[in-house]
């Protein structure tokens, strides 16, 4: 299992060679509540670090999902589009949002590790 | 303005509620289970809602009181029977809706349930029509608890015998723990249920009984999804001072006698609209697929003309699909008309739908 890093916008990224997998954190799903709609990017789309890449909607509101890393979209996770509630049940596992071919691996290193992210969440309650 | 709290605030907190500022009150938007579970358990069993932020406005007076209120409320108040309730609204001179409300005939006069955000202004608008013989007050010593769902009657009957005899939109006085409760068979979820007006110091005791009977607390989040599935309006979103009852498709709430006689605020405007129709109309909207068309989503015709705006939109947990309502050019208001909804810059399909989205189960 590759190392997981975290963004201030509550996305997680894991890196496997040139391919990064991106999703939203458990903390994010707890803030959002019941997720009822997901839109993931099409393969081939290029995204910038911190650029809007996907959409997640709960019963309460719509939120953008940002890519914590630049690159080209390889795949969006269709299973969460078909069954958005899966994001609540397994946000940091099977319910990833998209895979991306990474342009610049050094961007990965600038993200927070688990301990720093947990601290960040504790210091910035919603 | 200082943030207000209902008598149950600490109780909500102990239940793990997430709070939201609503109309100057700290109100629970959801509890630990979340909006979808709260919604589903209300439809399948029962749920209770703290709606004590709403105004409980009492009016007392002689036979002139009904006539005075009829100047601003288009219900037939002169012939409203004791303990019967009507859905109605306060109207301005243009026929716009100042607030929507439930008015009940009491032994001394009337009780009006007002929206929290509007209640102070409502009182000012109403008092313009009152005279020195009419007494009135917003009662802040009372909480208002809604118990809604198919099991509501069975559960409440155990605690307050007799409530099962009430019919939809009627009420009565009952005794509970040596205090008077005023209970109406009503609510805003589309389910059978009750609204219970109870002294603040007794409300925790009532709620404990609900908890013993496995009735969960339901927050404003699920209240919103429930009422939208039931096709009911939320003031400040689906209704406002610039919208009149004809546009809002609420002509039914203007009593027949009042439609014939007039004599209320905005009557000249409303009369013309009844005769000629309005340019826009409130309708249900069903988006295709799973895209949620939220408030302020633009509605387009199939040929690309902008024809309306969504005023409420969410995911309906019981419908298991997105649901919405909004105002649309009357030409396009027929049930089944295909439309486009612009969400995040992209057009998505949808159609005009009947309301409610979820069949109501009132006991009439």
């Amino acid at each position: 299992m590759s190392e997981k890093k975290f963004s201030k916008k509550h996305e997680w990224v894991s890196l496997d060679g040139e391919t990064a997998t991106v999703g939203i954190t458990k903390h994010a799903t707890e803030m959002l509540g019941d997720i009822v709609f997901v839109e993931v990017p099409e393969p081939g789309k290029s995204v910038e670090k911190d650029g809007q890449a996907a959409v997640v909607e709960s019963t309460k509101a719509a939120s953008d999902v940002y890519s914590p890393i630049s690159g080209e979209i390889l795949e969006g996770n269709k299973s969460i589009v078909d069954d958005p509630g899966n994001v609540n049940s397994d946000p940091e596992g099977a319910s990833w949002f998209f895979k991306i071919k990474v342009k610049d691996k050094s961007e990965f290193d600038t993200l927070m590790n688990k301990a720093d992210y947990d601290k960040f969440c504790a210091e910035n309650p919603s | 303005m200082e943030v207000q709290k209902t008598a149950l605030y600490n109780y909500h907190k102990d239940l793990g509620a997430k709070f939201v500022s609503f109309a100057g009150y700290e109100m629970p938007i959801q509890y630990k289970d979340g909006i979808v579970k709260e919604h589903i358990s209300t439809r399948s069993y029962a749920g209770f809602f703290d709606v004590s932020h709403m105004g409980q406005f009492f009016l007392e007076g002689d036979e002139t009181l009904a006539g005075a209120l009829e100047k601003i409320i288009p219900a037939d108040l002169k012939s409203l029977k004791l303990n019967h309730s009507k859905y109605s609204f306060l109207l301005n001179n243009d026929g716009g809706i100042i607030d929507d409300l439930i008015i009940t005939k009491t032994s001394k006069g009337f009780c009006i349930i007002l929206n929290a955000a509007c209640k102070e202004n409502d009182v000012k608008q109403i008092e313009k029509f009152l005279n020195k013989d009419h007494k009135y007050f917003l009662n802040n010593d009372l909480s208002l608890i809604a118990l809604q769902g198919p099991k509501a009657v069975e559960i409440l009957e155990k605690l307050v015998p007799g409530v099962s005899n009430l019919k939809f939109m009627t009420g009565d006085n009952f005794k509970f723990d040596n205090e008077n409760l005023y209970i109406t068979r009503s609510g805003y979820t589309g389910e059978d249920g009750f609204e219970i007006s109870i002294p603040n110091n007794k409300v925790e005791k009532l709620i404990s009984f609900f908890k013993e009977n496995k009735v969960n607390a339901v927050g404003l989040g699920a209240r919103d999804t429930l009422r939208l599935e039931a096709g009911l309006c939320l003031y400040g979103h689906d209704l406002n001072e610039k919208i009149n009852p004809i546009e809002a498709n609420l002509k039914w709430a203007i009593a027949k006698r009042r439609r014939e006689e007039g004599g209320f605020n905005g009557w000249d405007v409303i009369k013309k609209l009844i005769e000629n129709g309005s340019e826009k109309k409130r309708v249900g909207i069903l988006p295709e697929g799973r895209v949620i068309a939220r408030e302020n989503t633009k509605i387009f015709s199939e040929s690309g003309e902008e024809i309306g705006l969504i005023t409420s939109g969410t995911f309906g947990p019981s419908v298991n699909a997105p649901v919405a309502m909004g105002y649309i050019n009357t030409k396009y208001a027929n049930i089944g008309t295909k439309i486009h909804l612009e969400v995040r810059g992209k057009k998505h399909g949808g159609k005009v739908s009947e309301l409610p989205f979820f069949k109501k189960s009132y006991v009439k």
Side-chain angles (χ1 to χ4, degrees), chain A residues 21-39:
Chain A
T21 305
V22 177
I24 64 171
T25 64
K26 185 163 186 295
H27 180 80
T29 61
E30 283 164 2
M31 289 192 295
L32 287 165
D34 300 302
I35 290 165
V36 291
F37 176 81
V38 171
E39 193 176 273

Side-chain angles (χ1 to χ4, degrees), chain B residues 10-267:
Chain B
N10 286 327
Y11 197 89
H12 297 312
K13 218 172 167 180
D14 291 345
L15 288 176
K18 281 188 193 171
F19 289 92
V20 63
S21 252
F22 182 85
Y25 285 79
E26 278 291 287
M27 295 300 291
I29 186 156
Q30 65 167 81
Y31 301 85
K32 278 182 191 148
D33 284 347
I35 294 173
V36 171
K37 277 191 187 154
E38 290 169 26
H39 175 116
I40 298 290
S41 67
T42 303
R43 292 242 190 272
S44 63
Y45 185 75
F48 76 85
F49 306 67
D50 180 11
V51 287
S52 306
H53 56 313
M54 298 186 83
Q56 300 188 57
F57 186 53
F58 291 84
L59 295 121
E60 298 171 6
D62 56 14
E63 67 285 351
T64 62
L65 179 60
L69 291 174
E70 282 195 356
K71 302 276 188 213
I72 188 169
I73 299 173
D76 187 352
L77 301 177
K78 286 178 183 164
S79 57
L80 187 59
K81 289 184 202 147
L82 179 64
N83 293 324
H84 282 240
S85 306
K86 288 286 177 199
Y87 173 77
S88 192
F89 12 80
L90 301 177
L91 295 174
N92 64 27
N93 286 324
D94 302 321
I97 299 173
I98 299 169
D99 197 4
D100 66 337
L101 54 86
I102 303 275
I103 183 163
T104 303
K105 180 79 183 80
T106 63
S107 56
K108 290 180 179 169
F110 295 93
C111 172
I112 310 181
I113 306 295
L114 301 164
N115 280 303
C118 307
K119 61 186 180 185
E120 307 290 342
N121 179 53
D122 290 347
V123 172
K124 285 187 196 145
Q125 299 303 321
I126 293 169
E127 70 187 354
K128 289 181 190 170
F129 297 94
L130 302 177
N131 67 40
K132 61 177 175 28
D133 296 325
H134 303 146
K135 285 188 208 152
Y136 55 94
F137 55 102
L138 268 173
N139 192 332
N140 296 317
D141 299 326
L142 295 174
S143 291
L144 190 64
I145 303 296
L147 177 68
Q148 301 279 292
K151 293 284 177 196
V153 59
E154 185 184 317
I155 292 162
L156 193 60
E157 178 71 23
K158 281 197 274 183
L159 187 73
V160 188
V163 291
S164 61
N165 297 325
L166 295 173
K167 300 278 183 236
F168 183 62
M169 296 298 271
T170 69
D172 213 338
N173 291 290
F174 294 89
K175 277 276 175 268
F176 167 68
D177 207 30
N178 294 319
E179 285 280 358
N180 186 67
L181 305 187
Y182 193 80
I183 301 178
T184 58
R185 196 153 195 175
S186 61
Y188 220 60
T189 61
E191 296 297 323
D192 181 26
F194 302 89
E195 288 191 353
I196 304 157
S197 174
I198 179 169
N200 288 336
N201 61 354
K202 294 289 176 190
V203 65
E204 284 213 26
K205 196 160 181 177
L206 177 73
I207 299 311
S208 309
F209 173 80
F210 290 161
K211 296 301 283 182
E212 283 164 28
N213 283 274
K214 304 196 168 19
V215 181
N216 281 324
V218 184
L220 291 184
R223 185 170 167 82
D224 193 49
T225 55
L226 288 159
R227 69 90 196 166
L228 183 49
E229 281 187 345
L232 301 168
C233 293
L234 180 61
Y235 194 83
H237 300 263
D238 309 305
L239 303 176
N240 62 50
E241 293 205 14
K242 298 228 162 77
I243 290 172
N244 62 63
I246 307 306
E247 291 168 338
N249 211 3
L250 296 171
K251 192 176 86 178
W252 60 268
I254 305 176
K256 188 162 170 288
R257 173 176 70 78
R258 308 303 314 282
R259 268 184 260 157
E260 288 161 5
E261 292 176 6
F264 54 85
N265 272 1
W267 164 238

